[in-house]
Amino acid sequence: MEDSKNVIFGRNPVVEAIKGNREIEKLYVSKTAGGNIAKIIKMARDRNIIVSTADSNTLDKLSDGKNHQGVVAVCSVYKYCEIDDILSFAKAKNEKPFLLLLDGITDTHNLGAIIRTAEAFGVHGIIIPRRRAAGVNSTVVKTSAGATEYVKIAKVSNINIAIKKLKEEGIWIVGSSIDSKTDFDKADYTLPIAIVIGSEGEGMAELTQKNCDFIVKIPMTGRINSLNASVAASLMMFEVVRQRNK
């Protein structure tokens, strides 16, 4: 169950939260709700908020048994930044940008582990999509061991538009695929770099892969030909630090 302090319920409070651009991770609506619920759903979708139908038991649990009127909004525990904030942070440190782009990480434990490792390796910021991906919630905060307090995270409507912006800023985009012929330690990470980590099950989306400047692979000799997303991210982040500290 979501942390109750991050939940808004009731039709008017939810409408005001949407109007006020509150960072909402997901909107839950009753399967049988009527009245102005369609208007609330449209407002949410116009702002790229994920909308999910739920039964009464789920809504009761989310609202701690209070009068939810068929709608519950789960809000972020984290204040997201903009991509420009991440780039400004790197510039202020007089360092070449080092970013992560997470293309559809849905497991909150994976996201928390990636954030924890990113903080340890000096990543300037992480970019995640608004839809079909995990956001920073209480589980992520806990799994990150508090690293969410120190890592800048931007949430964007479209990963590929974010990639285009980074390229315009002179940042090279590196993705990974088991089909690549180039081992991950052969890329030049001394350049301004953004590493793309694909989703747990499907990897990078096809369009995201096409927009990468380099595609590399992590060589494996075992029978299982894929790594957990947070482990793959850790290996690639370590290689960036290794090359930059030669």
Side-chain angles (χ1 to χ4, degrees):
M1 192 174 80
E2 298 286 347
D3 188 336
S4 60
K5 70 180 179 181
N6 303 313
V7 169
I8 296 173
F9 52 86
R11 300 193 181 193
N12 287 336
V14 168
V15 166
E16 292 306 318
I18 296 172
K19 285 182 178 178
N21 291 319
R22 181 77 179 269
E23 190 66 50
I24 297 173
E25 294 289 346
K26 184 180 287 190
L27 187 71
Y28 292 90
V29 298
S30 170
K31 296 176 180 178
T32 58
N36 68 341
I37 202 71
K39 178 182 177 181
I40 295 173
I41 292 171
K42 184 179 185 305
M43 287 176 62
R45 287 179 171 157
D46 286 346
R47 288 164 174 76
N48 293 313
I49 296 169
I50 299 170
V51 179
S52 178
T53 56
D55 56 31
S56 294
N57 287 336
T58 300
L59 294 171
D60 289 343
K61 288 179 181 179
L62 287 168
S63 63
D64 199 24
K66 296 184 174 63
N67 184 18
H68 50 69
Q69 298 177 307
V71 59
V72 176
V74 177
C75 301
S76 174
V77 299
Y78 179 84
K79 184 173 177 58
Y80 295 96
C81 69
E82 302 294 331
I83 294 176
D84 286 337
D85 296 323
I86 297 173
L87 299 180
S88 295
F89 178 57
K91 185 176 181 180
K93 296 185 73 174
N94 197 29
E95 295 174 350
K96 293 177 181 177
F98 176 17
L99 291 82
L100 294 182
L101 284 153
L102 306 186
D103 187 22
I105 298 295
T106 58
D107 186 281
T108 51
H109 290 89
N110 268 341
L111 178 58
I114 289 170
I115 293 170
R116 182 175 183 173
T117 306
E119 197 283 326
F121 284 138
V123 171
H124 296 119
I126 298 172
I127 299 172
I128 63 175
R130 290 187 182 278
R131 298 180 63 82
R132 295 183 291 277
V136 180
N137 61 15
S138 55
T139 300
V140 173
V141 171
K142 183 176 181 180
T143 306
S144 77
T148 50
E149 294 296 317
Y150 306 103
V151 177
K152 295 184 181 300
I153 303 174
K155 184 182 278 192
V156 298
S157 298
N158 188 299
I159 281 290
N160 288 290
I161 292 175
I163 286 175
K164 180 180 178 182
K165 176 179 175 62
L166 294 178
K167 286 185 174 184
E168 290 171 352
E169 297 291 337
I171 297 171
W172 296 83
I173 312 299
V174 180
S176 62
S177 169
I178 58 172
D179 297 324
S180 174
K181 295 181 180 180
T182 304
D183 286 351
F184 77 109
D185 59 345
K186 299 299 188 290
D188 184 358
Y189 299 108
T190 62
L191 300 167
I193 284 291
I195 294 172
V196 183
I197 304 298
S199 66
E200 294 91 342
E202 300 177 359
M204 288 186 296
E206 183 178 352
L207 181 57
T208 306
Q209 185 165 325
K210 286 180 179 179
N211 285 327
C212 289
D213 296 302
F214 305 106
I215 302 292
V216 298
K217 69 175 180 180
I218 298 172
M220 289 170 280
T221 57
R223 295 180 181 179
I224 298 175
N225 65 354
S226 64
L227 292 173
N228 174 280
S230 65
V231 174
S234 297
L235 288 169
M236 295 187 72
M237 283 187 272
F238 172 78
E239 182 60 23
V240 175
V241 174
R242 187 189 72 81
Q243 288 191 21
R244 292 188 175 192
N245 289 338
K246 277 185 178 180

